[in-house]
Amino acid sequence: MKIREDFTTLFGVNPDLVASAPGRVNLIGEHIDYSDGFVLPFAIQARTYCALRIRSDERVRVATNQNKRDVFESSIAELKPQTGPVWTRYILGVLWALDIKVGVEILVDSEVPSGAGLSSSAALECSVATALNAHFELGKSLTELARITQRAENEYVGVPCGIMDQSISLMGKAGHALLLDCRDLSTRQIKVDFESNDLKLLIVDTRAHHALVDGGYAERRTQCEAVAKELGVKAMRDLSIGELETARTRLPELNYLRARHAVTEIGRVLEAVKVLEADDFDTFGNLLTKSHKSLRDDYNVSCPELDLAVDTALNLGALGARMVGGGFGGSTISLIKSDEAAKVAVEIERAFSKSGFGSPRFFDSLPGDGARVESY
Ligand code: GLA
């Protein structure tokens, strides 16, 4: 395995073990994990690999193939939130959140493109957590690891993300999407087989990344929390659309719209599971498109590049399309008849060029497995 050789070249010793964890796309259920909702992501084939060796002292040395393998060095006792160059924090944060007390050497290598909305951060955190959990025989369950890696990102990195990305990176199963209840982290694996139905899920990385990302995400969270507080419920999960409509005049209009997205999106996820299980891909596609409109119009987290990729796919007959992930850039998914996927990609590329946007990247990925130890 290449990362073993790279590790040995870099640190002059062999790693103790290599673990890996995947990125994700979310079929439906966007921006509702932090509102205690339901989400339906699947793990993609692209993975992040973590090679790890335990040291006999307190030194921590970390490097990534994505950053010229420059080694960042610290003492394990000195790790505290928001210390270390930004790229190292996803690794150091996991050491911190797992309360590791001895030194380690870590090299990571990622196939998950960063900034594409495919959750390269969670893939990185979960590959490190899986390696540490196995090596130190910590015995943490996948649910515990999801909470720990989320804490690493919330507190050490300083990003107020929800629990979806870490959960799917840890719990993904080939051929399935994960129905995750973000309140209690209970799960159900839902079979996803687009191929046998002559369908393809085209992932388009728009390569757009807008500055709004961080503030915009936190602001949406705060708006949903404000509505919950005003209406006396724990989270958007506990609100019906009827109750929300009745309370509309008590809420600032923008907050009402945010809540409307959250409440309707939760409903769409549950319906999407039903229709997927019945192989009703037309209705499933419609739900994807409705989700996009709600994210665009009520939640305002789309952007011109995402809208163009979605609209182009829909104009060419896609069954459904929507943005995925946090938004303000990143990727879209489109459900397309297999033999039309190539044409759709060409047309999206052309539309981007015509609008003066940079060239998008295309992926298609079958649902893959979650985090695992690769080798000792
Ligand atoms: C990011 C966050 C997730 C989730 C999505 C939006 O990926 O990390 O927790 O909130 O945005 O669904």
Side-chain angles (χ1 to χ4, degrees), residues 40-341:
L40 191 64
F42 71 76
I44 56 174
Q45 304 286 329
R47 306 179 76 84
T48 296
Y49 295 83
C50 166
L52 165 82
R53 191 181 84 92
I54 306 304
R55 292 173 59 94
S56 50
D57 58 15
E58 288 206 333
R59 300 307 294 165
V60 173
R61 303 177 77 207
V62 299
T64 162
N65 275 354
Q66 278 62 54
N67 195 14
K68 296 181 291 178
R69 288 194 224 152
D70 288 343
V71 178
F72 173 78
E73 191 161 338
S74 178
S75 149
I76 193 90
E78 278 163 20
L79 299 186
K80 55 175 188 310
Q82 269 128 71
T83 54
V86 172
W87 69 265
T88 65
R89 293 182 190 169
Y90 299 88
I91 304 171
L92 303 177
V94 175
L95 289 164
W96 169 82
L98 275 170
D99 203 21
I100 302 295
K101 298 284 188 218
V102 299
V104 293
E105 267 140 7
I106 286 177
L107 174 67
V108 293
D109 194 8
S110 186
E111 302 162 349
V112 187
S114 71
L118 301 176
S119 222
S120 58
S121 324
L124 176 51
E125 291 150 4
C126 295
S127 69
V128 174
T130 301
L132 293 167
N133 192 39
H135 189 82
F136 287 106
E137 296 181 358
L138 301 176
K140 304 276 185 210
S141 67
L142 297 182
T143 303
E144 285 171 319
L145 287 181
R147 299 250 190 238
I148 288 164
T149 45
Q150 184 198 19
R151 183 163 165 250
E153 185 152 345
N154 288 168
E155 294 179 35
Y156 197 104
V157 184
V159 174
C161 66
I163 192 78
M164 169 171 76
D165 302 344
Q166 291 79 6
S167 301
I168 182 59
S169 184
L170 291 159
M171 301 173 198
K173 184 172 165 202
H176 294 77
L178 183 78
L179 174 63
L180 173 72
D181 178 337
C182 298
R183 174 161 276 170
D184 64 9
L185 297 197
S186 59
T187 60
R188 188 148 69 86
Q189 297 284 355
I190 308 294
K191 197 162 161 274
V192 171
D193 182 6
F194 297 129
E195 285 63 38
S196 328
N197 293 281
D198 293 325
L199 294 170
K200 195 165 236 176
L201 195 76
L202 179 70
I203 305 170
V204 184
D205 172 10
T206 63
R207 294 180 119 160
H209 191 68
H210 294 279
L212 253 168
V213 185
D214 307 336
Y217 186 92
E219 188 186 46
R220 302 302 181 282
R221 253 194 108 130
T222 311
Q223 288 163 331
C224 287
E225 283 159 12
V227 174
K229 193 161 175 234
E230 170 67 29
L231 303 188
V233 293
K234 185 161 177 282
M236 293 300 93
R237 157 79 167 270
D238 305 302
L239 207 57
S240 72
I241 192 71
E243 285 161 347
L244 179 64
E245 292 304 334
T246 310
R248 180 170 185 165
T249 50
R250 282 166 58 197
L251 301 170
E253 180 66 5
L254 207 52
N255 287 8
Y256 159 77
L257 292 173
R258 304 303 191 233
R260 188 167 73 177
H261 164 72
V263 172
T264 57
E265 184 78 351
I266 292 174
R268 281 187 288 271
V269 175
L270 299 176
E271 202 188 335
V273 169
K274 267 193 221 146
V275 298
L276 257 188
E277 287 181 323
D279 284 347
D280 178 358
F281 296 106
D282 287 321
T283 310
F284 179 71
N286 281 334
L287 289 165
L288 297 187
T289 307
K290 281 188 185 157
S291 166
H292 183 76
K293 289 188 176 141
S294 177
L295 287 157
R296 185 191 63 198
D297 302 336
D298 283 359
Y299 224 61
N300 302 136
V301 289
S302 190
C303 66
E305 293 88 343
L306 289 167
D307 292 342
L308 184 62
V310 164
D311 292 343
T312 309
L314 291 174
N315 288 340
L316 289 164
L319 280 69
R322 66 177 208 87
M323 54 155 279
V324 293
F328 308 111
S331 297
T332 64
I333 51 172
S334 310
L335 190 62
I336 307 170
K337 295 209 174 73
S338 297
D339 54 4
E340 286 174 8

